[in-house]
Amino acid sequence: MVAIGNLKKLLPHVVRNLIRSNKFSISNTSGMAEGFKQANIVILHKSLAEDFEKFCQFNDGPLPLLYRSKPGEWKCPSISTDSDIRTDCLQYRKYENGICTGVTTSLKEFSEQLKDMVVFYLGCSFTFENALHEVGIPVRNVEQKCNVSMYKTSVRCCGTERFHSNLVVSMRPIHKDKLKAVVQTTHPMKKSHGAPIHIGDPGILGIKDLSNPDYGDAVQFHPEDVPVFWACGVTAVEAVCNCKCPLAFTHSPGCMFITDVKDKDPTDDSSKEIPEVYHICENPVHYTIVSEAAVQKIRYLEDMVGEDPGDRGVKHLCTQDELLKASLAISHAQSVLITTGFPTHFKYDPPEENDGPPGAVAMAAMLKALGKNVVIVTDQRALNLNKTIIKEAVEQGILETAIPVISYHSDSAASAVLFLCEDGNPEKPRFNHLIAIERAGMAADGNYYNARKINIKHLVDPIDELFLAAQTIPGITTTGIGDGGNELGMGKVKETVKKLIKNGDVIACDVEADFTVVAGVSNWGGYAVACALYIINTCEIHDRYLRKAVGFPRLSRKAEWASALPSVTKEEKLLKILQKHRVRSGKTASLEMEVDGLPFYDTHSHMLEKLLAKTLE
């Protein structure tokens, strides 16, 4: 019998001949014929062929079609020479009415039935294992001489009339320092499943136990390895089972057909986009992917809103890529809670300033356009005011639909968890992301201060408790947006605030957010988040990762998303609504068309124009 160690350098036709001769004592083809594509196999009656091809087209991540045979065609001349699909896989499975009724090393006994059947050859992730090895990335299943781990997920594929299934994924443990190289190596190899569809906690995919794969073998992790998941061709096996057709055949998982096509086929991907990898959550561990072009655009936005027209020293608080990482985390959230409200004008009624609400509305509009659930939480005393502002924003076309506005009551130590989670269960969070924009933040002494060191605690509800509780609840990430260091979420930069911001030793917020977006005016930070969400969601690389490479790109909604972006006209209308309700400029308490003492026209309007021009270029 031939051992696997001798097979890596053999040409595909030699390996196929050996498989045909049944001379192996191995259980999978991982590592065989390095440098050549391997294929999943599905064999169906010709009456199902059109529908199954549609299923592949609808879900080309797990099911990249390499070749579809004619009925009774046992060769596949465009991807291999001298092949016979009846004998050239290590092992096959036979399905009758959706149930696996046997395994075999040859389909020759079914030659008569095969005359009316069509063979689908689908790309396989074994193909890119050699490419990973070439760039110095250990492939644990090859090292451990076992099959790759494969799992059923809770992700639904896009179904057809006869075929439907959940996505199946393959998983390889990858050292965290190699994630970028893994993504950039596999991204162009679209016919072999391309880039990963998930990096991090398996529970996000509905996988409960990595040590118990549905197909293949459990693979051992090394220290600092992260689970990396690719769409898998075994998805087709699940679809065949669900179809319950009278007779079908597939390869046994891991027992692939080896083609003559090189693994680095230049026709795989013509895109010049380069993917980047970012860590967006630690509990649970979650990474995401976005294009380098999108990253550069968002960095430009971050620099733009970091301008400091009030000369308050906010440049010292800026850290590169906080806007990017915050927006990426928000992009993955299904439900977002936004809070705003800084009652700096304690001598007026209402005491609110007009920095914060416009930025909150701008983010809410984009989040709603992206199909997310959005709720605004504010102080009980300001509840009716904020409900009225949202109502009038809808009436004037600033918002497409209304946003619920609620308050938070702190009755006990458990209040925050009860508010954030269903029945107070931390495993069932109601929100995936919390955003605070120009929201008064608690200082180290438990008080709330405006920029002039005036304690305004009597006007502020303890919404900070939600951000503190979120730090203990898996699956909730947080963002703080501010322009002075005394805003909720700025605890991440509090030491710099204390040293370099006027009155910072007293006013610095002590409550941290996962991401801190610093802007010259907080509204600008909100506008930038809305713009960054547009850039991210119109990025094909990120879109594919969000939808797990099943279904169709959402880019047909690009015009709808563009219409949700903030604009000079929308913000002009919103400032007039705030004027009407006597919400004042933060620095001067003026009811003129200004924010933070800066005129709307030529300052805020110019910033909006610059942000939009970069976003839509």
Side-chain angles (χ1 to χ4, degrees):
M1 303 297 280
V2 181
I4 185 66
N6 300 322
L7 298 172
K8 292 182 178 181
K9 304 304 179 185
L10 293 182
L11 292 173
H13 74 277
V14 176
V15 177
R16 289 196 300 271
N17 284 333
L18 290 170
I19 290 173
R20 198 177 303 162
S21 304
N22 199 21
K23 291 184 177 180
F24 288 131
S25 58
I26 55 177
S27 60
N28 65 84
T29 56
S30 176
M32 288 188 179
E34 283 185 344
F36 292 90
K37 280 186 168 68
Q38 298 196 26
N40 300 273
I41 300 300
V42 175
I43 306 175
L44 299 164
H45 191 269
K46 61 186 179 183
S47 63
L48 296 170
E50 290 299 321
D51 202 47
F52 186 75
E53 184 167 351
K54 283 183 184 176
F55 185 66
C56 294
Q57 292 168 348
F58 291 179
N59 304 282
D60 64 352
L63 306 173
L65 184 57
L66 303 179
Y67 184 74
R68 169 187 163 177
S69 79
K70 301 178 181 65
E73 182 185 20
W74 299 329
K75 298 183 183 301
C76 46
S78 68
I79 61 172
S80 70
T81 57
D82 186 32
S83 64
D84 186 336
I85 197 55
R86 298 173 301 171
T87 57
D88 290 0
C89 291
L90 277 175
Q91 191 180 80
Y92 304 86
R93 287 188 176 185
K94 177 186 177 186
Y95 291 88
E96 296 177 282
N97 301 309
I99 297 171
C100 180
T101 57
V103 296
T104 179
T105 57
S106 172
L107 297 180
K108 279 196 168 183
E109 64 180 292
F110 304 104
S111 294
E112 195 60 34
Q113 294 98 316
L114 289 170
K115 289 178 181 177
D116 288 323
M117 302 183 83
V118 172
V119 185
F120 289 85
Y121 300 79
L122 306 167
C124 170
S125 62
F126 282 173
T127 299
F128 60 62
E129 289 180 339
N130 180 58
L132 295 180
H133 176 74
E134 286 182 348
V135 295
I137 299 168
V139 181
R140 303 298 185 211
N141 53 291
V142 175
E143 288 181 337
Q144 296 167 28
K145 297 181 172 60
C146 63
N147 200 352
V148 72
S149 303
M150 291 163 274
Y151 305 87
K152 300 176 185 178
T153 74
S154 57
V155 178
R156 293 291 296 169
C157 291
C158 183
T160 61
E161 181 181 354
R162 296 295 303 274
F163 293 96
H164 61 90
S165 75
N166 282 16
L167 176 68
V168 175
V169 293
S170 63
M171 186 282 298
R172 291 165 179 81
I174 303 293
H175 191 278
K176 66 179 184 179
D177 292 341
K178 301 286 188 180
L179 294 175
K180 178 178 176 179
V182 161
V183 170
Q184 292 186 350
T185 300
T186 58
H187 162 70
M189 304 176 74
K190 293 290 185 359
K191 291 297 186 181
S192 306
H193 304 307
I197 56 87
H198 179 62
I199 304 172
D201 182 65
I204 295 172
L205 295 177
I207 300 169
K208 291 183 170 55
D209 183 6
L210 285 182
S211 67
N212 187 27
D214 296 293
Y215 300 98
D217 301 319
V219 179
Q220 300 303 308
F221 281 67
H222 288 207
E224 298 193 308
D225 277 355
V226 176
V228 179
F229 300 87
W230 281 266
C232 178
V234 177
T235 302
V237 174
E238 292 292 305
V240 167
C241 292
N242 293 335
C243 178
K244 302 187 188 309
C245 51
L247 179 66
F249 301 96
T250 71
H251 68 291
S252 286
C255 301
M256 320 310 296
F257 175 82
I258 297 175
T259 78
D260 294 340
V261 181
K262 291 282 190 178
D263 57 0
K264 296 174 184 173
D265 184 351
T267 64
D268 268 3
D269 180 29
S270 58
S271 169
K272 291 182 172 57
E273 291 279 20
I274 299 171
E276 297 284 349
V277 180
Y278 286 90
H279 181 207
I280 57 170
C281 186
E282 184 55 37
N283 184 23
V285 174
H286 194 187
Y287 292 77
T288 192
I289 301 175
V290 68
S291 72
E292 183 182 61
V295 170
Q296 293 306 319
K297 264 193 176 185
I298 293 169
R299 284 178 177 166
Y300 192 91
L301 300 185
E302 187 173 57
D303 288 343
M304 201 183 296
V305 300
E307 293 177 9
D308 187 9
D311 196 25
R312 289 184 290 180
V314 297
K315 279 282 187 186
H316 301 300
L317 310 181
C318 297
T319 304
Q320 188 181 63
D321 290 341
E322 290 291 289
L323 172 62
L324 171 67
K325 288 183 282 189
S327 302
L328 287 168
I330 296 166
S331 180
H332 281 274
Q334 293 302 308
S335 186
V336 180
L337 182 74
I338 301 174
T339 184
T340 191
F342 207 122
T344 189
H345 302 306
F346 53 93
K347 294 181 179 179
Y348 293 90
D349 183 23
E352 266 65 36
E353 65 167 296
N354 60 8
D355 188 17
V361 168
M363 291 186 290
M366 180 54 66
L367 290 166
K368 290 287 282 186
L370 292 169
K372 301 182 188 299
N373 178 49
V374 185
V375 175
I376 293 174
V377 61
T378 191
D379 302 293
Q380 177 65 38
R381 58 163 186 78
L383 192 62
N384 289 334
L385 170 65
N386 281 279
K387 285 182 176 180
T388 300
I389 290 168
I390 295 298
K391 177 176 177 290
E392 294 184 14
V394 174
E395 291 171 352
Q396 295 203 31
I398 302 164
L399 284 169
E400 188 72 24
T401 57
I403 308 293
V405 182
I406 61 175
S407 59
Y408 166 68
H409 306 280
S410 180
D411 303 314
S412 69
S415 292
V417 175
L418 286 167
F419 182 93
L420 292 173
C421 304
E422 293 179 24
D423 303 318
N425 182 353
E427 294 182 2
K428 296 181 179 179
R430 289 193 180 96
F431 307 100
N432 313 115
H433 199 95
L434 312 182
I435 305 174
I437 176 169
E438 192 63 21
R439 169 73 194 175
M442 186 172 63
D445 63 2
N447 292 313
Y448 297 79
Y449 296 96
N450 67 13
R452 296 177 293 279
K453 291 198 298 187
I454 305 297
N455 187 358
I456 53 173
K457 184 176 181 178
H458 62 292
L459 296 171
V460 181
D461 289 349
I463 290 172
D464 306 66
E465 292 178 4
L466 302 180
F467 281 68
L468 291 168
Q471 295 172 6
T472 69
I473 301 170
I476 302 182
T477 47
T478 58
T479 294
I481 303 173
D483 58 18
N486 56 344
E487 301 90 357
L488 177 54
M490 292 291 118
K492 190 172 180 180
V493 292
K494 63 184 177 183
E495 295 307 319
T496 307
V497 173
K498 290 175 183 178
K499 292 176 183 176
L500 299 174
I501 300 297
K502 184 179 179 181
N503 299 323
D505 57 328
V506 174
I507 71 173
C509 176
D510 200 50
V511 181
E512 294 188 18
D514 294 307
F515 312 105
T516 299
V517 177
V518 178
V521 177
S522 292
N523 281 341
W524 298 357
Y527 304 153
V529 168
C531 291
L533 287 169
Y534 175 86
I535 292 167
I536 288 167
N537 281 271
T538 53
C539 164
E540 291 184 18
I541 287 172
H542 186 71
D543 171 74
R544 181 184 185 274
Y545 190 80
L546 278 181
R547 59 186 173 84
K548 309 307 177 194
V550 298
F552 300 99
R554 302 169 306 142
L555 303 185
S556 60
R557 296 180 59 194
K558 191 172 180 178
E560 176 189 346
W561 298 339
S563 69
L565 285 165
S567 69
V568 173
T569 300
K570 288 179 187 177
E571 298 312 295
E572 183 180 44
K573 288 179 180 179
L574 188 54
L575 274 182
K576 287 180 178 177
I577 291 172
L578 294 172
Q579 274 184 327
K580 172 184 169 184
H581 295 287
R582 307 193 69 76
V583 178
R584 301 167 184 273
S585 173
K587 191 173 183 180
T588 63
S590 169
L591 284 172
E592 298 300 316
M593 287 290 287
E594 65 171 55
V595 178
D596 273 359
L598 302 167
F600 176 73
Y601 303 106
D602 297 332
T603 299
H604 301 288
S605 62
H606 183 54
M607 176 59 68
L608 277 162
E609 289 167 349
K610 289 196 300 179
L611 288 169
L612 286 172
K614 188 65 179 179
T615 300
L616 296 171
E617 70 176 12

